[in-house]
Amino acid sequence: MKKLNIKIPLSVPESRRNEYKRNYKDLTNNSGHLFLIAGDQKVEHLNADFFGTGISLEDKNPEHLFKIARASLGGVLATHLGYISHYGQDYKELPYLVKLNGKTNIGPNELKNSSRLWWSVEDIIKFKKDSGLKIVGIGYTLYLGGQYEAEMLATVGEAIYRAHQAGFTTLIWVYPRGSKINEEDIHTIAGGAGVAAALDSDFVKIKYPYISKDRLNTAKKFQEATQAAGRTKVVCVGGSRRPVKALLEDTARQIEVAGTNGLAMGRNLHQRSLVEARALARALGSIIFKGKDARQAYQIYNSLR
Amino acid sequence: MKKLNIKIPLSVPESRRNEYKRNYKDLTNNSGHLFLIAGDQKVEHLNADFFGTGISLEDKNPEHLFKIARASLGGVLATHLGYISHYGQDYKELPYLVKLNGKTNIGPNELKNSSRLWWSVEDIIKFKKDSGLKIVGIGYTLYLGGQYEAEMLATVGEAIYRAHQAGFTTLIWVYPRGSKINEEDIHTIAGGAGVAAALDSDFVKIKYPYISKDRLNTAKKFQEATQAAGRTKVVCVGGSRRPVKALLEDTARQIEVAGTNGLAMGRNLHQRSLVEARALARALGSIIFKGKDARQAYQIYNSLR
Amino acid sequence: MKKLNIKIPLSVPESRRNEYKRNYKDLTNNSGHLFLIAGDQKVEHLNADFFGTGISLEDKNPEHLFKIARASLGGVLATHLGYISHYGQDYKELPYLVKLNGKTNIGPNELKNSSRLWWSVEDIIKFKKDSGLKIVGIGYTLYLGGQYEAEMLATVGEAIYRAHQAGFTTLIWVYPRGSKINEEDIHTIAGGAGVAAALDSDFVKIKYPYISKDRLNTAKKFQEATQAAGRTKVVCVGGSRRPVKALLEDTARQIEVAGTNGLAMGRNLHQRSLVEARALARALGSIIFKGKDARQAYQIYNSLR
Amino acid sequence: MKKLNIKIPLSVPESRRNEYKRNYKDLTNNSGHLFLIAGDQKVEHLNADFFGTGISLEDKNPEHLFKIARASLGGVLATHLGYISHYGQDYKELPYLVKLNGKTNIGPNELKNSSRLWWSVEDIIKFKKDSGLKIVGIGYTLYLGGQYEAEMLATVGEAIYRAHQAGFTTLIWVYPRGSKINEEDIHTIAGGAGVAAALDSDFVKIKYPYISKDRLNTAKKFQEATQAAGRTKVVCVGGSRRPVKALLEDTARQIEVAGTNGLAMGRNLHQRSLVEARALARALGSIIFKGKDARQAYQIYNSLR
Amino acid sequence: MKKLNIKIPLSVPESRRNEYKRNYKDLTNNSGHLFLIAGDQKVEHLNADFFGTGISLEDKNPEHLFKIARASLGGVLATHLGYISHYGQDYKELPYLVKLNGKTNIGPNELKNSSRLWWSVEDIIKFKKDSGLKIVGIGYTLYLGGQYEAEMLATVGEAIYRAHQAGFTTLIWVYPRGSKINEEDIHTIAGGAGVAAALDSDFVKIKYPYISKDRLNTAKKFQEATQAAGRTKVVCVGGSRRPVKALLEDTARQIEVAGTNGLAMGRNLHQRSLVEARALARALGSIIFKGKDARQAYQIYNSLR
């Protein structure tokens, strides 16, 4: 595990550098690596990810996410302000990243990609003060390509700037989209990572080509993305449901070979019972935060179920 | 009847928590349950709901709504500022929820779903002060799906935040729309309820599949929606005209079985004479506020006609 | 003639209630009834209403409108700020209502219905102070239905609110539009009147089905519109050119039977010579302000030509 | 030559009336008549008007415009801020009118008619102070008809109001456009002039049907436009290249017969050599400012070449 | 080499003239000529320019750009704020020009040309203060023609004005676009240069027809563009990959014959190894800053490899 050496971006003013460091430590469990518990699917997929075949009944209640985050020992919960506003008082110890935009999966995507901010950064600053919670940063989903690219780039550019002005950390989801775009293509994914760097984000969440069969080579090729991101750190999306062992191997390989700085996980966690999710989260945390290998992590997983 | 235990969202600042509690009590007749008298159809359906075959002639005058609200003993009147501004001085004891947007039923819906705020939350704060009325909160209709989803989500997210900052309560109407959307599907309706929670609303008004024949089972299945809403409370729309007995049974079942926290009713009330509307409103109030069952409520209804 | 009993809307703050009363009296010639001299056609129809066959040559000069308003003894001139700014110094005794928007009749209507404010209410407040003129209120044309409905509703809602905050009176032109809309249908017209009430306007200007042959019955049926408007007062548009006697009869019937509170007249006045327009305006004023019947008014008309 | 009698619009506040008078005098060479040297074609036509067959090589340098304005003895140079910012220090004695918008001739016109302000009126006020130049007013091109009419009307209405608030004079270019519009039709042109008056502009620049053969009668018919403009003064565009004698005759006839208050000239001046342009400008100035007739002006022209 | 004689635009206020001079000197290496190291392709072309066949592996890391800029001895690095924010602390001696907008090459261009500002000029002023870096100016890419022309012109007009108010220098990329546009046509390119002058920019970056075979004559014809730009200085884009000798000859000819004031270079530099890029940058610098001819520059190039 590398010692935590924070390169504070110059857009953070002198007077907010300590605040930024504090937030960065809370965001990354004092490790520089990020374990993002993604909780924005209530908007992105309505109730489809939370209720139905193969989903634990515990997942029907939004509080399930908070319980998992607490059980993860180190994960940061990224979700919309409403959930934090309603449950935060009972989960005061968690670090939160407030997702500032979102869209549903109903109707034509192109028309909705104009994801505007639901709350301004100023609102979040005030919310942190009002709530007394560990709000450590902001998140935003950016779709490249398409009718609203210009609007989204301008919106997130300004939001990141204002977040840094306040000492917040930032993470953006970057997804190139378009009829000619292969969303699993590493070269394209790397391009999105570079845009996140141009926008001054601290972290970027991007896709990972889990479908590839040559998994070691894929991780090597994925270095293109982590290098293109420069000093912006990369976390990959968790991918679709698959055996825990494979999932842990992918995660370890991403960090060790591809050079990512953590992982984001949503459905793969919250669709499980709290006991299962806790075991998986702790196993992932051992890789992300403590440098364990996949085998060790799998043992942790099995010991906790 | 449960004791009133208000979970104040963290977006309400310390200095406005008492104001919020006061508003919440006035909104819910001190019960935590809501009886919403919906009076925004003058915009949504122009004069079609107020004048015509089968509609009491008393309904042609907008003041009819205020008389019903007064007679209901506990209902909150949700309507646009203009009506409150014109009649409020004669109905000072009523609690009001100001509807901030609206659209007509003329022309292509898709193009009008961009329902912008007619008044800012700041205007409503000033209006409360100027008028001395019991303005307890704000309302907004949100259409998910479609061209203006991004604009509407951003508008209502910010409006709810500002309302909470001022100590107002909030209720949003959430309707998923689109060519592939079944508006009576509980899974879809539950999704909308979850979005309301993500947006930090206190209450959400959603559809209820009244058309289903197996009414008890429907109420059970509807738990998906009240659970998806988390700590955001659910009220259902009143549905189309039907026998009073069935209406009271549906209401009782929604609260007892489905887990809703009240009801919203518009045409089913104001299209009746004041005497009829008063009887029905009192019967509904006995279920919503006092935990009476449908049979007891029906007796109240009959005793008042 | 009823005694002037002003119901001040609650959106007018305590400190501006006297200003509002003063404006209301000036707007209505101290009668509660309104005689609106509509002077916004220079934009709506370019020069077509002011120069051409059957139009008095006096009408080619914009000052003609001001001369008629002065001769009317009681009419309020509703026009754009530019005309008031240029001629007001020579007509200081007139009350003015500043029309805040407008569109030409060139090109596709649908695209232009997005009538934005040419001046903010704050500009008009300042203009009143700078000019020392009797600016008594603001006017806005609202098209219901169509692509810009949401924008227009939000614009005029806020404008009326701000006008009331300043003690100004308000009048809005409300026209339902759309491929399936019958613009002469009283039910639809009544719907527009109800929207004006929801928007908190003091007066609404709506269409009247002059084409109907059964004129008394039409006036009775038109009560639907004046009732739907609640405490918002209704004035009808003047309609197309027709014999003076019929025009006076329509006006008297609108007020006595349909329950309107005055009349708006544009081309029917200014396309006449000053002498003719003066005679007609005085005759109309006798009905609107003094409760004369059509026969008496016609005598006045004839005595002044 | 009439004595200069300035009718100050009421939108100019008391405190800025002297400033307005000073600007008006500088704008009109102390005559009430305007000689506008139009220098906005670098944007409207890119380099096509400045370099090519039949164009003096002197015109390739933007400074040529400033030299002509200086040589004209009385013309006001209307151009974008950039040119004034770069050359103004060497031409401090000139009066300038800052053109606030513009569009190129590349691509589909309809899509670009949304000419937004490049600079706010506040910027121009500050620029006048920073530069110490004789900035006497603002200019804006307004296209009536089409998709952006509402946006343009609102933009220019507010801009003129703010300009008057600061004591600036205003001139707007008004061009009705559309598939059914005859841009040479006097009735339509007059409509545009009336809109300028409704907008409170001091001057309006409109088309003139130079193509007509019966030139005296055309000038008489054009009175419709100058009358429709009311107290807003009219200047005509200079038209396409033609013999100097005809040009001088047209100008004299516009002022004497049609009732215009000056002329705007662009290409007809700057595409000539400085010597030629100077001779023409002085000849035009003798008509515009000193009431010379076309014959006298032609002698002046010939004496200066 | 001409002595540095700065013509400060009048939009720079008295109080910021020294700041402007300082920035201008830093921007131009104290020479009045500009060597722009263009580093905005991470957005414009995603990762395509930085990783792939024929590209030095050193280019995969964004820091490569900073190393080249340092090695160039006089070049200014133009890139987005994020890169400067992340690497600036290690390259404090470099002058930076912050690119305020950008778009990707994914999807339909027309829809994305609405390049809005990612950061306001006020943000950049604050960033300069917070970072202590030599931020000398702002950059913006302007596409003429197309749906967003009006928006872009207004955005950049205001941005340049605000930059000058703060004492920043400005450079804009101007590209005429459209189905009928020949992007290599000098007459069209000259038009774009004139628009930059109208917008008050200090420098404009435009295309150069490198494809022409008669290279001396092309340079002569290109004078049309540098003349049309007036006192706005012109730099040409570097063009596609070609032999160093030809590249140096083109650059010398542009400055000596066509009258440009420097060069912008992106891929032609950063796709080389640092050693190669350093040699080329120094050779170019000898032409741009010291007036060397192409032959002398080529010797420098060879001596450094």
Side-chain angles (χ1 to χ4, degrees), chain C residues 268-290:
Chain C
N268 248 320
L269 275 178
H270 66 71
Q271 291 184 350
R272 300 171 197 263
S273 67
L274 181 56
V275 168
E276 272 288 324
R278 176 173 163 271
L280 177 54
R282 295 271 180 93
L284 288 167
S286 75
I287 297 171
I288 297 168
F289 299 130
K290 299 183 191 153

Short mmCIF file of all heavy atoms in Angstrom, two decimals, chain C residues 268-290:
data_model
loop_
_atom_site.label_atom_id
_atom_site.label_comp_id
_atom_site.label_asym_id
_atom_site.label_seq_id
_atom_site.Cartn_x
_atom_site.Cartn_y
_atom_site.Cartn_z
N ASN C 268 -61.40 48.95 -34.04
CA ASN C 268 -62.72 49.54 -34.17
C ASN C 268 -62.73 51.00 -33.78
O ASN C 268 -63.60 51.76 -34.19
CB ASN C 268 -63.71 48.75 -33.29
CG ASN C 268 -64.70 48.00 -34.13
OD1 ASN C 268 -65.16 48.52 -35.14
ND2 ASN C 268 -65.05 46.79 -33.73
N LEU C 269 -61.73 51.40 -33.01
CA LEU C 269 -61.62 52.81 -32.63
C LEU C 269 -60.63 53.55 -33.53
O LEU C 269 -60.98 54.53 -34.18
CB LEU C 269 -61.14 52.95 -31.19
CG LEU C 269 -62.17 52.89 -30.06
CD1 LEU C 269 -61.47 53.00 -28.72
CD2 LEU C 269 -63.20 54.02 -30.21
N HIS C 270 -59.39 53.06 -33.57
CA HIS C 270 -58.36 53.91 -34.16
C HIS C 270 -58.41 53.99 -35.68
O HIS C 270 -57.81 54.88 -36.27
CB HIS C 270 -56.97 53.58 -33.64
CG HIS C 270 -56.44 52.22 -34.01
ND1 HIS C 270 -56.06 51.90 -35.28
CD2 HIS C 270 -56.21 51.12 -33.25
CE1 HIS C 270 -55.61 50.64 -35.29
NE2 HIS C 270 -55.69 50.15 -34.07
N GLN C 271 -59.16 53.08 -36.31
CA GLN C 271 -59.27 53.18 -37.77
C GLN C 271 -60.27 54.26 -38.18
O GLN C 271 -60.44 54.56 -39.36
CB GLN C 271 -59.63 51.82 -38.36
CG GLN C 271 -58.47 50.83 -38.24
CD GLN C 271 -58.74 49.48 -38.88
OE1 GLN C 271 -59.86 49.20 -39.27
NE2 GLN C 271 -57.70 48.66 -39.00
N ARG C 272 -60.96 54.82 -37.21
CA ARG C 272 -61.88 55.92 -37.49
C ARG C 272 -61.16 57.25 -37.34
O ARG C 272 -60.11 57.34 -36.71
CB ARG C 272 -63.05 55.88 -36.48
CG ARG C 272 -63.86 54.60 -36.53
CD ARG C 272 -64.86 54.52 -35.40
NE ARG C 272 -65.33 53.16 -35.22
CZ ARG C 272 -66.48 52.69 -35.74
NH1 ARG C 272 -67.28 53.48 -36.43
NH2 ARG C 272 -66.82 51.42 -35.57
N SER C 273 -61.79 58.30 -37.86
CA SER C 273 -61.27 59.65 -37.65
C SER C 273 -61.40 59.96 -36.17
O SER C 273 -62.17 59.30 -35.45
CB SER C 273 -62.08 60.65 -38.45
OG SER C 273 -63.39 60.70 -37.91
N LEU C 274 -60.69 60.97 -35.72
CA LEU C 274 -60.75 61.31 -34.30
C LEU C 274 -62.18 61.65 -33.89
O LEU C 274 -62.65 61.26 -32.81
CB LEU C 274 -59.80 62.48 -34.01
CG LEU C 274 -59.74 62.91 -32.55
CD1 LEU C 274 -59.37 61.77 -31.63
CD2 LEU C 274 -58.75 64.06 -32.37
N VAL C 275 -62.90 62.37 -34.74
CA VAL C 275 -64.27 62.76 -34.41
C VAL C 275 -65.15 61.52 -34.22
O VAL C 275 -65.88 61.39 -33.24
CB VAL C 275 -64.84 63.68 -35.51
CG1 VAL C 275 -66.35 63.84 -35.33
CG2 VAL C 275 -64.15 65.03 -35.47
N GLU C 276 -65.05 60.59 -35.16
CA GLU C 276 -65.84 59.35 -35.08
C GLU C 276 -65.42 58.51 -33.87
O GLU C 276 -66.26 57.98 -33.14
CB GLU C 276 -65.61 58.53 -36.36
CG GLU C 276 -66.55 58.85 -37.50
CD GLU C 276 -67.97 58.34 -37.24
OE1 GLU C 276 -68.10 57.25 -36.64
OE2 GLU C 276 -68.93 59.04 -37.60
N ALA C 277 -64.12 58.38 -33.68
CA ALA C 277 -63.61 57.56 -32.58
C ALA C 277 -64.03 58.14 -31.24
O ALA C 277 -64.38 57.40 -30.30
CB ALA C 277 -62.09 57.46 -32.67
N ARG C 278 -64.00 59.47 -31.17
CA ARG C 278 -64.40 60.15 -29.93
C ARG C 278 -65.86 59.86 -29.62
O ARG C 278 -66.22 59.52 -28.47
CB ARG C 278 -64.17 61.65 -30.11
CG ARG C 278 -64.62 62.52 -28.96
CD ARG C 278 -64.15 63.96 -29.24
NE ARG C 278 -64.85 64.93 -28.42
CZ ARG C 278 -66.00 65.52 -28.79
NH1 ARG C 278 -66.56 65.23 -29.96
NH2 ARG C 278 -66.57 66.39 -27.98
N ALA C 279 -66.71 59.95 -30.62
CA ALA C 279 -68.14 59.70 -30.41
C ALA C 279 -68.37 58.26 -29.94
O ALA C 279 -69.11 58.01 -28.99
CB ALA C 279 -68.90 59.97 -31.71
N LEU C 280 -67.70 57.33 -30.59
CA LEU C 280 -67.87 55.93 -30.22
C LEU C 280 -67.32 55.65 -28.82
O LEU C 280 -67.95 54.98 -28.00
CB LEU C 280 -67.17 55.04 -31.26
CG LEU C 280 -67.19 53.54 -30.97
CD1 LEU C 280 -68.60 53.02 -30.74
CD2 LEU C 280 -66.55 52.76 -32.12
N ALA C 281 -66.16 56.22 -28.54
CA ALA C 281 -65.53 55.97 -27.25
C ALA C 281 -66.40 56.52 -26.10
O ALA C 281 -66.57 55.87 -25.07
CB ALA C 281 -64.14 56.61 -27.20
N ARG C 282 -66.98 57.70 -26.34
CA ARG C 282 -67.83 58.28 -25.29
C ARG C 282 -69.09 57.42 -25.09
O ARG C 282 -69.56 57.24 -23.96
CB ARG C 282 -68.24 59.70 -25.67
CG ARG C 282 -67.08 60.68 -25.74
CD ARG C 282 -66.80 61.34 -24.41
NE ARG C 282 -65.69 62.26 -24.56
CZ ARG C 282 -65.83 63.58 -24.84
NH1 ARG C 282 -67.02 64.12 -24.97
NH2 ARG C 282 -64.75 64.34 -24.95
N ALA C 283 -69.63 56.92 -26.20
CA ALA C 283 -70.82 56.08 -26.09
C ALA C 283 -70.50 54.79 -25.32
O ALA C 283 -71.24 54.37 -24.43
CB ALA C 283 -71.33 55.75 -27.50
N LEU C 284 -69.37 54.18 -25.66
CA LEU C 284 -68.96 52.97 -24.95
C LEU C 284 -68.72 53.27 -23.47
O LEU C 284 -69.12 52.52 -22.59
CB LEU C 284 -67.68 52.39 -25.58
CG LEU C 284 -67.88 51.72 -26.94
CD1 LEU C 284 -66.53 51.49 -27.62
CD2 LEU C 284 -68.63 50.40 -26.79
N GLY C 285 -68.06 54.39 -23.21
CA GLY C 285 -67.77 54.79 -21.84
C GLY C 285 -69.05 54.95 -21.03
O GLY C 285 -69.09 54.64 -19.83
N SER C 286 -70.11 55.42 -21.68
CA SER C 286 -71.37 55.63 -20.94
C SER C 286 -71.95 54.30 -20.48
O SER C 286 -72.57 54.21 -19.43
CB SER C 286 -72.36 56.41 -21.80
OG SER C 286 -72.93 55.56 -22.80
N ILE C 287 -71.74 53.26 -21.29
CA ILE C 287 -72.19 51.92 -20.88
C ILE C 287 -71.27 51.36 -19.80
O ILE C 287 -71.71 50.88 -18.76
CB ILE C 287 -72.18 50.96 -22.10
CG1 ILE C 287 -73.17 51.43 -23.15
CG2 ILE C 287 -72.49 49.54 -21.65
CD1 ILE C 287 -73.09 50.67 -24.47
N ILE C 288 -69.97 51.42 -20.06
CA ILE C 288 -68.98 50.79 -19.18
C ILE C 288 -68.91 51.47 -17.82
O ILE C 288 -68.90 50.81 -16.78
CB ILE C 288 -67.58 50.80 -19.86
CG1 ILE C 288 -67.62 49.96 -21.13
CG2 ILE C 288 -66.51 50.30 -18.89
CD1 ILE C 288 -66.41 50.13 -22.03
N PHE C 289 -68.87 52.80 -17.85
CA PHE C 289 -68.62 53.52 -16.59
C PHE C 289 -69.91 53.97 -15.89
O PHE C 289 -69.93 54.13 -14.68
CB PHE C 289 -67.75 54.75 -16.85
CG PHE C 289 -66.40 54.41 -17.41
CD1 PHE C 289 -65.92 55.06 -18.55
CD2 PHE C 289 -65.60 53.44 -16.83
CE1 PHE C 289 -64.68 54.76 -19.07
CE2 PHE C 289 -64.35 53.13 -17.35
CZ PHE C 289 -63.89 53.79 -18.48
N LYS C 290 -70.96 54.24 -16.70
CA LYS C 290 -72.15 54.85 -16.08
C LYS C 290 -73.39 53.99 -16.16
O LYS C 290 -74.48 54.42 -15.78
CB LYS C 290 -72.42 56.20 -16.76
CG LYS C 290 -71.26 57.18 -16.59
CD LYS C 290 -71.58 58.54 -17.19
CE LYS C 290 -70.32 59.40 -17.23
NZ LYS C 290 -70.37 60.41 -18.31
#
